[in-house]
């Protein structure tokens, strides 16, 4: 059976470290601790005093001061790994942790998972071909030498960097090394760890190279493991669940994230809030529990994105300065069908096409594959369509040689609705209000990635009211905006009532409106 040596890098909160070490070793696993040498000495003394008698805990044979982005983080990890290899000959796996991590599965589940998956778990993507680095330095991290800490010695860091740039002092990457990049939270088998340590002793050139790269904890192990282990034995993923906000900051988990964390296909999670006392208590009890069944649904990232986005009224794509004064044209009439159930709006649009000759386009700002004519590339992506929305609409009016055009939009596109409503052209809107059954909401959650086939009933029970309230909120926002020329169709309304709404929206007779509204299948799910 798998026995894990946890490699813990930490620098604060000694009480939490002591509890974590006792919790993880109580299940028969091991721990090697490197406590930052720049931290308070009394904190380290407290940790040593509390854990000295625990045979399953050891400490890095050397402590050093660590800094973000520096080689010191890798060196501290190596010191802890070397001590763990020596102290725990029965350890089969070595799992990298921080003081902010906690197990989100039981020891029983964790050991069984590692027994069933004979592989190394480490993110390792090609440094140059992948898009793992989104912004900032890329090649410069490697080809220049970085002697200073970017956070604490910013002026020296960039002065050294720019000087090397001006003088052309670049260097070559070791010829037989293909640099990889990924998360620093890995789980490696004992054989792999021994190969890595052997590599560090033999390849002093590679060690010299990485010592002056920037943020080597994202590249060192990721590269060396690829060099010593066959690709078929590497799973390019981390077993630690972590997320980042739009601002690049780690998402912090609190007491009400317990069920969400347990449903993720990971063994640990970071970062757990220091104030999440109940979450830490429940997760602590979980690791020692037996016979726990986990329903893996893995919707965490999409769920977080959905929930955190509810507070945003604005959108990413603001109007470009050159579009501020543009207009669709005073004589033109843009008609917008607004509906959360896209299939209902598409049916209404299809009926409108049959009864009128007005060109009608489906969700062009929501669906990539909406059929559109070739407009010189502006129509190719949702991003381009949204950024250049007025120019796109003018081109569509011109393409169809019409002064009347119908489009569909999701009620969440409030910025687009307000933008078009403020144009000098005539803008008419038709909101189609539908009923949302629980079955539909579950299907919607699955379609947009908020839930999966294995999502537990308890998670859905908490999620569905949020989704329903979100849809109500979107509709209320449209009503509160008090758009001119707004009409509404309702699923529970009579055919005559919906016919009158269609008549006002399309400027057609009520008989034609009734012809459109009388289709029995319009609101069917």
């Amino acid at each position: 059976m798998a026995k894990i040596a946890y490699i813990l890098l930490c620098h604060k909160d000694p009480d939490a470290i002591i509890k974590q070490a006792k919790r993880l070793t109580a299940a028969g696993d091991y721990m090697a601790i490197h406590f930052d040498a720049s931290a308070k000495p009394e904190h380290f003394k407290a940790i040593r005093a509390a854990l000295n008698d625990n045979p399953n805990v050891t400490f890095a044979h050397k402590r050093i001061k660590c800094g973000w982005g520096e080689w010191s983080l890798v060196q501290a990890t190596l010191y802890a790994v070397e001590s763990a290899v020596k102290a725990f000959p029965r350890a089969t796996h070595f799992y990298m942790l921080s003081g902010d991590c906690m197990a989100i599965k039981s020891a029983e589940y964790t050991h069984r998972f590692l027994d069933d998956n004979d592989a190394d778990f480490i993110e390792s993507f090609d440094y140059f071909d992948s898009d793992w680095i989104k912004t900032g330095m890329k090649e410069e991290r490697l080809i220049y030498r970085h002697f200073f800490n970017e956070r604490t010695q910013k002026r020296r860091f960039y002065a050294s960097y720019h000087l090397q740039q001006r003088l052309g002092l670049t260097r070559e990457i070791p010829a037989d090394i293909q640099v990889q990049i990924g998360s620093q939270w890995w789980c490696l088998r004992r054989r792999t760890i021994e190969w890595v340590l052997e590599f560090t002793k033999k390849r002093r050139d590679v060690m010299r190279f990485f010592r002056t790269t920037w943020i080597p904890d994202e590249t060192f192990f990721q590269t060396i493991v690829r060099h010593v282990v066959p690709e078929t034995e590497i799973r390019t993923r981390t077993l630690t669940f972590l997320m980042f906000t739009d601002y690049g900051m780690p998402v912090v988990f609190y007491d009400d994230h317990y069920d969400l964390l347990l449903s993720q296909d990971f063994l640990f999670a970071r970062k757990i809030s220091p104030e999440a006392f109940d979450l830490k208590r429940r997760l602590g009890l979980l690791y020692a529990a037996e016979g726990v069944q986990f329903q893996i649904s893995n919707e965490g990232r999409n769920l977080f994105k959905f929930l955190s986005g509810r507070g945003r009224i604005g959108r990413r794509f603001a109007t470009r300065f050159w579009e501020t004064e543009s207009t669709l044209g005073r004589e033109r009439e843009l008609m917008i069908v607004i509906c959360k159930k896209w299939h209902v709006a598409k049916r209404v649009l299809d009926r409108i096409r049959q009864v009128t000759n007005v060109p009608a386009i489906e969700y062009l700002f929501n669906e990539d594959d909406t059929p559109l004519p070739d407009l010189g590339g502006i129509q190719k992506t949702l991003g381009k369509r949204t950024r250049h929305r007025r120019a796109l609409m003018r081109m569509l009016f011109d393409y169809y040689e019409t002064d009347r055009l119908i489009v569909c939009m999701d009620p969440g596109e409030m910025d687009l609705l307000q933008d078009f409503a403020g144009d000098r052209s005539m803008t008419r809107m038709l909101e189609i209000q539908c009923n949302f059954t629980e079955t539909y909401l579950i299907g919607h959650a699955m379609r947009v990635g908020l839930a999966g086939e294995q999502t537990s009933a308890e998670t859905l029970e908490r999620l569905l009211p949020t989704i329903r309230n979100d849809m109500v909120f979107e509709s209320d926002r449209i009503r509160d905006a008090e758009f001119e020329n707004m009409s509404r169709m309702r699923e529970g309304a009579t055919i005559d009532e919906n016919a009158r709404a269609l008549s006002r929206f399309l400027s057609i007779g009520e008989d034609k409106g009734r012809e459109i509204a009388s289709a029995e299948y319009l609101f069917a799910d």
Side-chain angles (χ1 to χ4, degrees), residues 279-306:
L279 176 61
K280 290 193 285 187
R281 179 188 63 81
R282 297 174 74 185
L283 291 178
L285 294 172
L286 175 69
Y287 194 70
E290 295 181 357
V292 180
Q293 299 298 315
F294 296 91
Q295 294 291 326
I296 307 299
S297 58
N298 231 25
E299 77 282 358
R301 288 185 170 85
N302 287 329
L303 183 58
F304 172 79
K305 183 179 178 182
F306 169 73

Side-chain angles (χ1 to χ4, degrees), residues 52-72:
N52 256 344
D53 294 334
N54 189 329
N56 285 11
V57 174
T58 190
F59 292 86
H61 60 83
K62 184 176 180 181
R63 290 174 63 211
I64 58 174
K65 295 181 179 180
C66 298
W68 184 89
E70 292 181 8
W71 169 256
S72 55

Side-chain angles (χ1 to χ4, degrees), residues 308-418:
S308 63
R310 297 311 89 195
R312 283 194 205 134
I313 302 302
R315 305 288 290 186
R316 289 183 180 277
F317 302 118
T319 306
R320 301 300 190 187
F321 72 90
W322 61 80
E323 293 187 323
T324 304
E325 296 302 323
S326 64
T327 178
L328 306 187
R330 286 187 183 276
E331 307 304 320
R332 285 173 168 170
E333 189 174 350
L334 177 64
M335 292 172 280
I336 305 174
V337 175
I338 309 164
C339 186
K340 195 65 182 181
K341 288 187 176 180
W342 295 1
H343 60 280
V344 172
K346 290 176 182 180
R347 289 174 190 155
V348 171
L349 224 63
D350 187 57
R351 293 288 295 160
I352 290 174
R353 290 191 191 100
Q354 295 174 25
V355 174
T356 73
N357 292 320
V358 180
I361 302 170
E362 296 173 359
Y363 287 86
L364 75 167
F365 296 110
N366 303 103
E367 291 186 302
D368 271 310
D369 56 356
T370 298
L372 289 171
D374 185 356
L375 302 174
I378 196 174
Q379 82 291 345
K380 284 189 175 180
T381 67
L382 291 177
K384 282 188 175 183
R385 296 177 203 170
T386 306
R387 286 193 295 271
H388 308 296
R389 48 207 181 240
R390 293 197 184 190
L392 174 68
M393 284 301 181
R394 289 198 306 273
M395 294 172 79
L396 287 170
F397 274 109
D398 293 339
Y399 178 84
Y400 288 108
E401 298 180 348
T402 181
D403 288 331
R404 305 186 77 209
L405 182 68
I406 305 172
V407 298
C408 287
M409 291 190 197
D410 187 272
E413 302 292 350
M414 190 65 180
D415 62 326
L416 295 179
L417 297 175
Q418 290 175 324

Side-chain angles (χ1 to χ4, degrees), residues 151 243-252 271 304:
R151 290 192 173 180
M243 298 190 296
F244 292 89
T245 68
D246 287 350
Y247 303 100
M249 300 300 292
V251 172
V252 178
K271 292 182 166 186
F304 172 79

Side-chain angles (χ1 to χ4, degrees), residues 95-98 100-102 104 123 132 182-186 217-218 237-245 248-253 260-261 264-272 298 300-302 304:
Y95 196 121
M96 182 74 181
L97 289 178
S98 77
D100 297 321
C101 297
M102 284 198 73
I104 56 174
E123 283 190 352
W132 204 86
S183 165
Q184 62 269 54
W185 312 112
W186 40 254
D217 56 320
E218 293 180 350
R237 58 163 293 195
T238 176
L239 295 178
T240 298
F241 180 58
L242 65 161
M243 298 190 296
F244 292 89
T245 68
M249 300 300 292
V251 172
V252 178
F253 298 110
L260 180 146
L261 292 176
Q264 305 312 306
D265 188 19
F266 296 86
L267 304 181
F268 280 75
R270 80 178 299 267
K271 292 182 166 186
I272 307 299
N298 231 25
R301 288 185 170 85
N302 287 329
F304 172 79

